[in-house]
Structures are given as C-alpha cells and as structure tokens.
Amino acid sequence: MRVLGIETSCDETAAAVVTEEGDVLSDVVRSQVALHAPYGGVVPEVAARDHARAVVPVVREALARAGVAAADLDGVAVTSRPGLAGALLVGLQTAKGLAWAAGKPLVGVDHLVGHLLAVFLRRDGAPAPEERPAFPYVALLASGGHTAIYRVDGPSLGAIRELGATRDDAAGEAFDKVAKLLGLGYPGGPVVDRLAAEGDAAAAAEAVPAVMARKESLEFSFSGIKSAVARHVAKRGRPEGQALNDLCAAFQGAVVDALVQKTVRAARSEGVERVVLAGGVAANRGLRAKMAAACARRGLALFVPPFASCTDNGAMIAYAGALRLAAGERDTLDLAPETRTALPRVTRKGGGAR
C-alpha cells in the first residue's frame, strides 16, 4: 500500500509517500520559519496563504521523488486536526480534490496521532524491525503547541490515553518565549539548545525554579519558569557571553528534568517498559541525552525517531493514514478541519485546585 500524506497544520507545508510498513518513499517539507521570524511566532493568516501557494508544488515533488503518479496511490491522507483552521483547510481541500480526481479513498489524520506513530517510520531502511517499539508504550509528545504524556496501546484513537499534559504553555512554546526574552530570535529552541551545551546550569540555578515538581503529578506547567526568566532579565538585563550560556543551560535543564522525570514516572506507574519521544522538542539534544540516561538507570527501553521524524512532516501523516486504510476506515468529502485533537484530554488548562 502506498499512501500520500499531506500536512499543513501550522507552519510547514509537507507531503510524503509512505507504505503501510512505514517505508518512506519520499518526504518533502517546506518550512515557513523565515516568513514568521520577523513576528516572533506563527501568524495564522500568513501561514494559510503560504500553504495555498506551496501545497501543489510540494505534493508534485513528493509524487515525483517517490516515482509514482496519483493513479498509483492506494489512498490520500491529510491532517484534519488539530491546528490552525485556515492552514488545515488548505491541506484538506487539496487532499479532497486529489482523492476525488484520482478516485482514491480519503482519510483524515489527527496530527498528534501522527507524531505518536512517527517512531515507526523507516527512512533509508532504518530502523530495523527490532529497533521499533512494540505496543504498549508510554510516549512523551513535546512540541511548540503540545506537551503531554500518553499511553499508546495501538495506533487507533481509542487505544491512546492521555496520562498528563501541560496546564498552560507547551514546552516548545516556553523555549520560544524565553529565547525572545533573551533576544535570541525565532524559533528559539535550537538556539537555546546550542547555547545550553556551553553553559553551566548551576551558575544560574537561582534564576530558574523547578517545573511543577510535585511527585504525584504527571502534569506540567511552564508559565512559572518563563516568568522567572522574565523577572531575571528585567532586574539584571539581558545576559551576554558565558552568563547567557549559563542561563540557557539552567532553563533547559529545568524543563528537560521535568519532562524526563514525569515520563519515566508514567512508564513505571503504568507498568510499561518502553518509552518513546515524539514531537519537535524530541530533537533537543539535552532531552535526548537525559531521557536515555534515565531510562537506562531504570531498565526502560527508549525509542527516539530521527530528527526528520520529530518535526512536522508528511510521512507521519501518510503512515497513520495507511494504518486507517488498512483497517478499512474511510472519510467522506465533507471532512472538515478541527482546531482541537480528537484524543480525550484529562488535564484541565489553567490554575486552581485539581
């Protein structure tokens, strides 16, 4: 089975052709980072208009690299939720038109499910079957818009259960906001990660509090650490040189410690021996290293996708769609965009007693 996947949920226009075994035949991603950088974040209208300009060329390139025509496909998968409404609409209309014209089945994919299954993608023949996790596993999905821990018992929506999520900012959002406070530009995550590698977290530890460290909770809150950095900058000014590296190291260390500790805690409480990293923040080197060390200490098997499978891409959408098609599922041409995930949420946004 060869399935075309189209992804336009936020600021990447992406398309890929993938088999139901997870073999990536092509994967084309067009980033909008340069467009949104002057604004310090994603502007929804700008994103939607650029998707409209780019989506057809990106799809054509994905088909050409895979060496297939639309008539050779077994189906068309598209991100239908969650995401920016206008951006999602561009991908949906493109997928509908292509599926209708070629007489192929259409399936909508939840963007978060795509991330949770991205670990199964095989790029250039890797990973080998033994390097892919078996169900069930506990997954940390951390990105610019989402941060949550899930128990994944299978690829369907009903087999995925949220164990805990952020009450406010996502982890990637916190990285971007702190980078903006420090004058590091957008996107902030890669810059903070690079500077943190040269810093000493202990030297700036007093400026950065622990992230929602209650042992019994699997929820996160990143608004407090962002505010602490803002107060530090307001009092002392933007740090430079080694002081900047140290502050980045302290901030990243606090965020990563919370992500690692709660993910490992979730795996142990669920009695699951496999842990998966997913989402754009999974590309963070500090997170990868600390999660690997923590899992090794506790006898947990860790599975981390390659960098290309962490950030938004069409391959994960194509693969999740291929599994839906293989299960006999189809969507009709009245499939509509939804800004929220279909996965049930147990974490309530905002403060207050729980």
Side-chain angles (χ1 to χ4, degrees):
M1 184 182 292
R2 291 175 294 187
V3 176
L4 171 70
I6 300 175
E7 154 64 24
T8 62
S9 65
C10 191
D11 60 341
E12 275 92 19
T13 310
V17 179
V18 177
T19 72
E20 64 181 306
E21 298 299 324
D23 294 311
V24 180
L25 306 182
S26 68
D27 189 17
V28 180
V29 180
R30 182 183 186 277
S31 175
Q32 298 180 0
V33 166
L35 284 178
H36 300 289
Y39 308 102
V42 177
V43 181
E45 181 66 17
V46 172
R49 289 178 180 272
D50 195 66
H51 285 311
R53 286 189 291 266
V55 67
V56 171
V58 166
V59 168
R60 285 176 175 163
E61 181 66 19
L63 292 174
R65 291 186 187 181
V68 300
D72 302 320
L73 298 171
D74 294 288
V76 179
V78 60
T79 303
S80 58
R81 62 193 308 166
L84 304 173
L88 289 169
L89 188 60
V90 173
L92 269 169
Q93 295 301 89
T94 304
K96 288 179 184 180
L98 182 58
W100 178 82
K104 303 299 179 180
L106 172 75
V107 287
V109 172
D110 190 296
H111 181 80
L112 303 190
V113 175
H115 273 304
L116 292 172
L117 299 178
V119 69
F120 293 101
L121 293 174
R122 296 194 295 198
R123 299 175 181 272
D124 299 323
E130 63 270 16
E131 296 174 328
R132 305 164 86 186
F135 296 112
Y137 56 80
V138 164
L140 169 67
L141 198 170
S143 67
H146 307 278
T147 297
I149 302 171
Y150 295 92
R151 178 186 172 115
V152 183
D153 289 293
S156 64
L157 286 170
I160 301 173
R161 177 164 56 92
E162 179 189 302
L163 302 176
T166 180
R167 295 182 178 184
D168 39 59
D169 292 348
E173 184 181 3
F175 270 93
D176 287 340
K177 289 180 176 179
V178 165
K180 187 174 182 179
L181 286 169
L182 298 177
L184 300 179
Y186 172 86
V191 182
V192 172
D193 188 24
R194 176 172 54 82
L195 296 179
E198 305 297 327
D200 177 11
E206 78 286 348
V208 180
V211 175
M212 199 172 172
R214 288 195 296 118
K215 289 185 177 181
E216 71 277 9
S217 174
L218 295 179
E219 297 180 355
F220 303 95
S221 174
F222 298 107
S223 61
I225 191 171
K226 174 195 65 181
S227 298
V229 174
R231 289 192 296 269
H232 180 79
V233 172
K235 181 179 179 180
R236 303 190 180 184
R238 287 178 175 172
E240 298 179 351
Q242 189 58 42
L244 175 61
N245 297 343
D246 295 342
L247 185 57
C248 286
F251 165 76
Q252 176 166 293
V255 172
V256 166
D257 284 346
L259 295 173
V260 170
Q261 291 167 10
K262 298 198 175 195
T263 301
V264 170
R265 188 182 308 149
R268 299 184 72 183
S269 66
E270 291 291 314
V272 174
E273 298 179 351
R274 292 166 291 276
V275 172
V276 167
L277 289 185
V281 179
N284 182 280
R285 293 172 297 176
L287 174 60
R288 286 172 172 242
K290 285 193 175 182
M291 188 70 80
C295 287
R297 286 196 300 270
R298 291 163 177 80
L300 301 173
L302 176 64
F303 300 86
V304 185
F307 292 114
S309 295
C310 294
T311 53
D312 291 354
N313 61 88
M316 67 183 191
I317 303 304
Y319 178 65
L323 296 183
R324 286 199 63 199
L325 288 169
E329 300 177 23
R330 305 286 189 275
D331 286 307
T332 61
L333 293 179
D334 61 358
L335 180 65
E338 296 286 345
T339 58
R340 295 188 177 185
T341 179
L343 294 173
R345 290 172 55 181
V346 299
T347 301
R348 181 169 62 84
K349 292 285 187 178
R354 293 298 196 271

